[in-house]
Amino acid sequence: MSTSVQAPGEPRVAAPRAGEPVRAGRAQTLRFVSTHTLPAFVRGVASARPGVVRAYAALGQSAWSFATLRAMKRRHGGAPVLVRGLSGPVLVLLDRPELEQFYAEPVRTLAMDAPDKHRSLSVFEPTGVICSHGELRERRREVNDRVLAAGSPSHPSCEPFLAVVAEEVRTLTAGRALDTAALQRAASRIGRRTVLGDAAADDQPLTDLLLALRREANWMGLRKGPAREAAARYARADARLAAYAADAPGHTLLGRVRAHPDPTGELDPVGQAHHWLLALDLLGTMLARTLLLLAAHPAEQHAAWAEVEAGGPAGGSAGAGLPRVRACVREALRLFPLVPDLVRVTRAETTWRGVRHPAGTTLLLPAAFHQRDPEQVRGADLFVPARWLVPGAELDPVMAPFSHGGGRCPGEDLGLLVLTALVAEVLRGHRVTARRPLLDAHRPLPGSVDLTTLRLGLVPR
């Protein structure tokens, strides 16, 4: 017999029978779609649309999304909620037990290539790990992990990569101000030099080609097949990457690919470079956010600068150098994650909080919401880098800027190495000040910031 549950001040809700899933009602579904899934689609699946991001920051859109998820969590006691999304039913995971189970399940069970995501991402990385499944995915992931040195805090090419960062930052900080465009140019050059080699340093046309593919991918979730123009762009980009791969220095990522022959032609290790370049391009965004946060928190910036001045490169001993600077980077990623939602599709029947769900169920883990949930994270809306200096902090499933388990980002260590080095090199001879936008360190930080108007000042030390 059905009973009812309710939170204070909320309407009565019929509880499901034992073994039946919790389902969102029409009003709740409409609110979820309008404040969470539709805005995510409009923002862009593969490439964020600047105008939309600017509008969302002005309107505080992320606050609407978080409020919707908090209301769902309270109303249903944290149980997973089955919601009718834009492309069909989605099981939304709202509490820590399900979060832990999500990361514990093997990738063979919780596949990363959900249909909508696969149609979008396959436009610019059709042979990438994220668009693969089964045995082929495992083989591609193995090559990917070896090239990126996943799980190792120090990459074999650490020294030449840090030299590239130092050289590019000297050019970046030659003036007295920084904006998003300058930070993005530096990140793209670093990406091309570390993935392809110095010969690609000035190949902005290749980056523009890849950016066009990502923009095209934003619409592919609504289409049944690849557009001819996108396929032609991909072929041109792939040919350029293959040309660089032939002469890539041994320390570059494509140079390291040569150590992994592909006699069957199935793995396409060079094809993984599409994703590596995408990931390294995103460092420009994260560098901007980290510097903006440090500009708004002078005491944290001074402590990070003092660590840099004390000596030691970002690689440090076993790659764990500059822990305070690295903590600032991690905290910026927690507050403003690059991937706010994790989407999976089940390949087998799974059970969530005692309820069985068939194979083919789409799961949504709102990672950004969990990392900003005050019930799970102290000072959730504050910039507190010291939380990452606590031993084991990076293992907390709630704190997941790089995910956990089998789906954990294989480029986590390399990304942290390069981004930590970028921040350190900017701080080495400068104090960073914010001109716009201005963040109030004494108030909860917004869920997103408009970087299109970013202007940072550089004061020589």
Side-chain angles (χ1 to χ4, degrees):
M1 181 175 181
S2 177
T3 59
S4 62
V5 294
Q6 66 182 64
E10 293 187 352
R12 295 171 65 85
V13 181
R17 301 177 192 277
E20 292 185 354
V22 173
R23 297 179 185 274
R26 290 183 180 179
Q28 198 171 51
T29 297
L30 179 61
R31 181 179 177 184
F32 176 78
V33 170
S34 61
T35 64
H36 191 85
T37 56
L38 183 59
F41 173 77
V42 174
R43 181 180 59 240
V45 176
S47 177
R49 300 179 175 95
V52 175
V53 172
R54 182 165 58 251
Y56 283 1
L59 296 171
Q61 183 278 324
S62 59
W64 306 346
S65 168
F66 292 167
T68 294
L69 294 169
R70 278 195 300 272
M72 290 175 64
K73 182 178 179 180
R74 286 197 305 267
R75 190 169 189 176
H76 301 291
V81 181
L82 202 58
V83 181
R84 184 75 185 179
L86 293 175
S87 302
V90 177
L91 188 65
V92 185
L93 308 180
L94 298 167
D95 211 355
R96 187 181 181 106
E98 286 69 46
L99 198 119
E100 293 175 347
Q101 179 183 344
F102 180 91
Y103 292 128
E105 293 280 2
V107 174
R108 286 180 178 270
T109 300
L110 302 190
M112 302 178 70
D113 58 332
D116 287 350
K117 183 168 69 173
H118 183 275
R119 280 197 297 272
S120 295
L121 301 185
S122 63
V123 172
F124 64 88
E125 49 175 309
T127 62
V129 173
I130 201 168
C131 292
S132 309
H133 61 271
E135 182 64 30
L136 182 59
R137 179 196 182 277
E138 297 303 317
R139 291 167 57 203
R140 284 175 171 164
R141 174 70 191 248
E142 182 180 1
V143 172
N144 208 42
D145 286 1
R146 289 183 180 179
V147 170
L148 297 175
S152 173
S154 181
H155 194 276
S157 299
C158 176
E159 186 174 341
F161 286 175
L162 293 182
V164 167
V165 170
E167 185 176 322
E168 293 294 340
V169 171
R170 280 196 293 273
T171 301
L172 177 67
T173 57
R176 294 296 178 88
L178 295 173
D179 59 20
T180 297
L183 294 171
Q184 189 56 60
R185 282 194 299 272
S188 294
R189 285 180 59 86
I190 290 168
R192 292 193 296 268
R193 293 179 67 181
T194 54
V195 175
L196 310 174
D198 289 347
D202 296 317
D203 196 348
Q204 184 62 37
L206 172 59
T207 295
D208 293 340
L209 188 58
L210 295 174
L211 287 172
L213 276 170
R214 295 166 200 163
R215 287 192 292 269
E216 177 72 15
N218 282 338
W219 299 106
M220 292 308 293
L222 298 179
R223 298 176 182 171
K224 299 300 182 184
R228 290 183 179 179
E229 188 174 356
R233 283 198 185 106
Y234 179 84
R236 294 200 301 274
D238 215 37
R240 294 178 79 138
L241 291 176
Y244 282 119
D247 300 312
H251 70 273
T252 64
L253 297 188
L254 277 187
R256 288 173 56 79
V257 160
R258 286 199 295 269
H260 306 283
D262 180 22
T264 66
E266 291 182 323
L267 301 182
D268 187 21
V270 174
Q272 311 308 308
H274 291 269
H275 192 82
W276 300 335
L277 289 167
L278 164 66
L280 289 166
D281 266 357
L282 293 174
L283 293 182
T285 299
M286 286 317 306
L287 176 60
R289 289 171 177 166
T290 305
L291 293 177
L292 180 62
L293 286 164
L294 288 172
H297 298 80
E300 294 290 355
Q301 181 179 166
H302 181 79
W305 168 78
E307 181 181 67
V308 173
E309 287 298 298
S317 174
L322 305 180
R324 184 172 288 276
V325 178
R326 185 169 294 229
C328 291
V329 168
R330 285 187 182 273
E331 182 69 346
L333 283 162
R334 179 191 71 82
L335 288 164
F336 306 112
L338 293 171
V339 183
D341 288 328
L342 302 180
V343 180
R344 303 285 188 269
V345 60
T346 61
R347 299 296 186 194
E349 182 184 88
T350 54
T351 301
W352 301 88
R353 199 167 289 204
V355 179
R356 294 181 179 180
H357 293 269
T361 298
T362 298
L363 305 176
L364 186 147
L365 179 67
F369 163 73
H370 284 287
Q371 293 180 161
R372 288 284 196 112
D373 184 1
E375 295 180 3
Q376 303 183 78
V377 180
R378 288 187 177 182
D381 292 320
L382 301 178
F383 181 63
V384 188
R387 72 173 88 242
W388 293 98
L389 299 176
V390 177
E394 71 281 0
L395 303 178
D396 185 345
V398 174
M399 313 279 272
F402 291 96
S403 189
H404 291 285
R408 193 176 188 118
C409 176
E412 172 181 1
D413 296 295
L414 179 57
L416 282 173
L417 173 72
V418 175
L419 190 48
T420 299
L422 275 166
V423 175
E425 290 299 330
V426 172
L427 294 181
R428 194 175 296 281
H430 307 88
R431 180 168 59 84
V432 182
T433 61
R435 299 178 184 176
R436 63 175 185 268
L438 296 176
L439 298 179
D440 188 343
H442 303 291
R443 296 174 60 86
L445 291 166
S448 62
V449 291
D450 177 16
L451 296 179
T452 61
T453 63
L454 178 75
R455 188 76 172 176
L456 300 172
L458 293 176
V459 180
R461 289 186 183 271

